[in-house]
Amino acid sequence: MSGIVGIITKKDCKEDLFYATDYHSHLGTAYGGIAISDNDILQKKIHTISKVQFKSRFVEDIDFIHMKGKSGIGVISDRDIQPLIMRLRFGEYAICGAGYIDNQDELTRELIDEGVVFSEMANGKVNQIELVAKLINQRDNLVGGIENMYSRIDGSVSLLLLGKEGIFAARDKYGRTPLVLAERNGDKIVVSETCAYKNLGFKTKKFLGPGEILLINEDKVEQKKKKEDILQLCAFLFVYTGFPASEYEGKNVEEYREYAGRIIAKKDNVDVDLVAGIADSGTAYAHGYSHESGIPVRIPLLKYTPGWARSYVPPSQETRDLIALMKQITADAIIKGQKIAITEDSIVRGTQLKNYLLVKLWDAGAKEIHIRPACPALMFPCKFVFSTRAIEELFARRVLKKMHGRHIQDVEPYLDTDSKQYKEMIKAMEKDLNVNSLRYQRLEDMLSATGLPRESLCTYCWTGKEIK
Ligand code: SF4
């Protein structure tokens, strides 16, 4: 998904920028990058963070240690090398963004046919931030250029551009990724995640609206473009991707997860001895479940080190498998002979749950295991923020393939939780996972727990429907 930070301070911004960027580490494991403007001279530093975390990379970097300036941008990127420093027709800018462009190949071909050259390639693909910059450069002013980019991309991009005028902060046209402005005694920060500035003394000033563009500098915050009417905030931020201390549109993630866990319990009738959250994101659901049902929360699987990356992010299956195998260790005395309800966020691929975590619980003597994911079955890969990758990887699609002997196109009957087909799919999933029962959270319940209007949330990965 990536997370971005822009900052303007009265003194040197480097330390605040460093910490605020690091607080987005849950949103990407590919690259960490920082650009700082020192008297209008832009400098940048980028490191790979797939094996060594952002903080460790930057604290020992002599170039970074010598960087200084009162304004800067930072990014934790899940895919592209960024920030980029580019000379556009309106001046020189450091640019970074969060999101994903689904029609990047088509747009790249069109621009190349028009004579545009791309220089930042990785794995045979253009750098999406460079593509964004080239689309912005097609108009004769920056705001018009950003609007042009939004009108041409199929996907979602929230963006920061650092130049002589200050920082242009543009939230994605449909607001799928968040962008929030906060202030501290005249210093200003704009971030993807509100958890990034809480320990730095900033206070929330404004959640940017969908498509809204601000120009932020030492003297002012100027609205360069009003927000659009339609908001489609990524609902998966609440379910899994977002950090629990963060707020989206003013709603806290941890509180959401606890409340969603209560709803799961309210609709459940299973007789268990304990409830446990699997992975960090499952814990709050377990607490909510426990508060509602009176069933105790216990911890049958313990994560050995917080240093392991989130297991759905690393690109290779081998790395994900290794992490799943090594990260969680059983507390056998808590498991033996127990009937266990497991709350977990979403069963994206289901491979680690099935091959490692459940096997460990059975091996440690669990009597029954009941899985309670906090959202409906993921059926469609995200094409807006890159949270999931391909249809074949999704657990529900793989189970449907087993049932039909091939990948099926029409999954509509399996989306209706009252249908015969849906019930058959759940039976096949229970068998595949080797659990006593599986019950997904219903879409209406998941959405209602956010406290936001249903129509303001993107639900594409569950419904396959999008607003255009
Ligand atoms: S498709 Fe899913 S992950 Fe992607 S933006 Fe929409 S809700 Fe978020």
Side-chain angles (χ1 to χ4, degrees):
M1 177 167 192
S2 305
I4 53 179
V5 180
I7 190 162
I8 308 264
T9 53
K10 290 185 282 306
K11 294 183 185 155
D12 189 41
C13 72
K14 188 176 70 183
E15 196 170 317
D16 285 326
L17 180 59
F18 167 76
Y19 285 114
T21 305
D22 183 58
Y23 278 125
H24 287 81
S25 293
H26 57 290
L27 293 179
T29 55
Y31 299 98
I34 274 182
I36 294 181
S37 171
D38 184 14
N39 291 318
D40 295 333
I41 306 291
L42 292 167
Q43 322 146 61
K44 70 167 181 174
K45 194 73 203 192
I46 300 170
H47 283 290
T48 59
I49 51 169
S50 50
K51 293 206 171 75
V52 178
Q53 291 174 327
F54 175 88
K55 265 203 296 293
S56 312
R57 285 280 194 208
F58 277 79
V59 284
E60 291 174 353
D61 182 320
I62 295 294
D63 294 339
F64 175 67
I65 290 167
H66 288 111
M67 281 166 78
K68 63 180 172 59
K70 293 182 184 172
S71 57
I73 57 174
V75 56
I76 297 291
S77 179
D78 67 350
R79 175 194 154 102
D80 294 297
I81 293 177
Q82 47 173 325
L84 301 181
I85 295 180
M86 303 194 77
R87 177 95 197 169
L88 304 181
R89 57 170 68 184
F90 355 91
E92 191 172 291
Y93 292 91
I95 309 171
C96 64
Y100 180 68
I101 302 174
D102 199 45
N103 60 339
Q104 58 183 290
D105 293 340
E106 187 187 320
L107 285 172
T108 304
R109 269 196 306 275
E110 283 173 28
L111 291 184
I112 287 173
D113 286 348
E114 290 165 21
V116 173
V117 175
F118 288 91
S119 56
E120 299 279 346
M121 302 290 293
N123 303 322
K125 297 266 182 196
V126 296
N127 181 308
Q128 295 190 54
I129 302 306
E130 186 179 19
L131 176 58
V132 161
K134 304 251 155 130
L135 289 167
I136 292 173
N137 207 37
Q138 287 185 323
R139 293 292 179 271
D140 56 11
N141 67 74
L142 201 51
V143 172
I146 294 171
E147 287 182 293
N148 173 58
M149 181 269 292
Y150 283 148
S151 70
R152 297 198 58 188
I153 65 163
D154 186 7
S156 153
V157 175
S158 287
L159 197 64
L160 298 174
L161 293 100
L162 169 65
K164 280 190 176 147
E165 314 93 314
I167 295 173
F168 284 86
R171 187 173 175 188
D172 163 57
K173 187 178 174 191
Y174 290 106
R176 282 196 168 87
T177 49
L179 213 48
V180 190
L181 173 72
E183 292 190 7
R184 177 192 64 191
N185 303 324
D187 294 342
K188 301 165 188 95
I189 193 166
V190 60
V191 298
S192 301
E193 292 267 319
T194 61
C195 68
Y197 54 70
K198 291 187 178 181
N199 288 342
L200 304 177
F202 288 84
K203 298 281 178 235
T204 305
K205 200 77 187 161
K206 177 185 173 60
F207 292 86
L208 273 72
E212 185 173 359
I213 303 175
L214 299 181
L215 170 60
I216 305 160
N217 56 37
E218 226 179 307
D219 308 321
K220 63 181 180 193
V221 174
E222 184 186 345
Q223 189 184 53
K224 302 297 273 185
K225 186 184 165 295
K226 286 192 179 148
K227 67 176 181 143
E228 303 281 347
D229 295 333
I230 300 172
L231 173 63
Q232 286 288 279
L233 176 67
C234 169
F236 204 57
L237 281 164
F238 286 103
V239 175
Y240 173 70
T241 330
F243 192 75
S246 283
E247 281 98 33
Y248 308 117
E249 314 302 319
K251 305 288 180 187
N252 173 251
V253 175
E254 179 76 359
E255 191 184 28
Y256 160 83
R257 290 179 187 165
E258 266 194 29
Y259 186 57
R262 277 182 178 274
I263 300 176
I264 296 170
K266 215 178 259 182
K267 304 221 163 165
D268 208 356
N269 55 6
V270 72
D271 170 29
V272 289
D273 302 307
L274 63 104
V275 56
I278 274 198
D280 294 345
S281 50
T283 308
Y285 297 117
H287 283 296
Y289 190 107
S290 174
H291 293 159
E292 187 64 36
S293 63
I295 295 164
V297 179
R298 301 195 76 188
I299 309 178
L301 286 162
L302 293 123
K303 188 161 77 171
Y304 179 66
T305 166
W308 288 103
R310 284 182 143 196
S311 50
Y312 93 105
V313 178
S316 87
Q317 188 62 47
E318 293 75 38
T319 312
R320 291 197 294 268
D321 288 350
L322 177 72
I323 291 169
L325 175 67
M326 303 305 281
K327 196 163 57 171
Q328 307 278 356
I329 308 173
T330 53
D332 297 24
I334 288 178
I335 300 165
K336 197 167 172 42
Q338 298 295 290
K339 294 183 273 179
I340 305 171
I342 298 285
T343 54
E344 74 95 71
D345 49 83
S346 57
I347 316 187
V348 178
R349 295 178 174 86
T351 44
Q352 287 123 38
L353 180 68
K354 175 181 165 180
N355 299 335
Y356 300 102
L357 303 179
L358 293 174
V359 169
K360 286 180 192 193
L361 290 174
W362 286 125
D363 284 352
K367 189 174 176 192
E368 290 180 18
I369 303 177
H370 304 268
I371 305 289
R372 299 295 180 260
C375 68
L378 292 163
M379 283 285 188
F380 302 90
C382 173
K383 57 181 191 170
F384 308 107
V385 299
F386 209 47
S387 290
T388 51
R389 292 172 170 84
I391 278 186
E392 306 77 54
E393 291 180 71
L394 297 175
F395 171 60
R397 292 300 193 114
R398 285 195 288 103
V399 168
L400 288 179
K401 185 183 175 193
K402 259 194 200 170
M403 289 167 67
H404 291 267
R406 62 186 167 83
H407 275 299
I408 56 166
Q409 296 298 321
D410 179 18
V411 293
E412 198 66 34
Y414 296 97
L415 304 183
D416 175 1
T417 50
D418 295 322
S419 71
K420 180 170 124 299
Q421 290 92 332
Y422 180 83
K423 286 170 189 146
E424 285 168 1
M425 177 181 75
I426 296 295
K427 282 263 161 287
M429 287 170 157
E430 287 168 347
K431 195 168 163 217
D432 188 81
L433 290 173
N434 185 27
V435 292
N436 299 90
S437 76
L438 168 71
R439 185 178 293 177
Y440 281 99
Q441 175 91 304
R442 289 193 173 224
L443 188 68
E444 312 77 67
D445 293 334
M446 181 193 94
L447 298 178
S448 75
T450 66
L452 295 170
R454 187 195 193 292
E455 63 279 7
S456 67
L457 292 157
C458 174
T459 58
Y460 178 84
C461 47
W462 301 284
T463 63
K465 295 189 173 67
E466 65 176 305
I467 292 177
K468 283 206 180 193

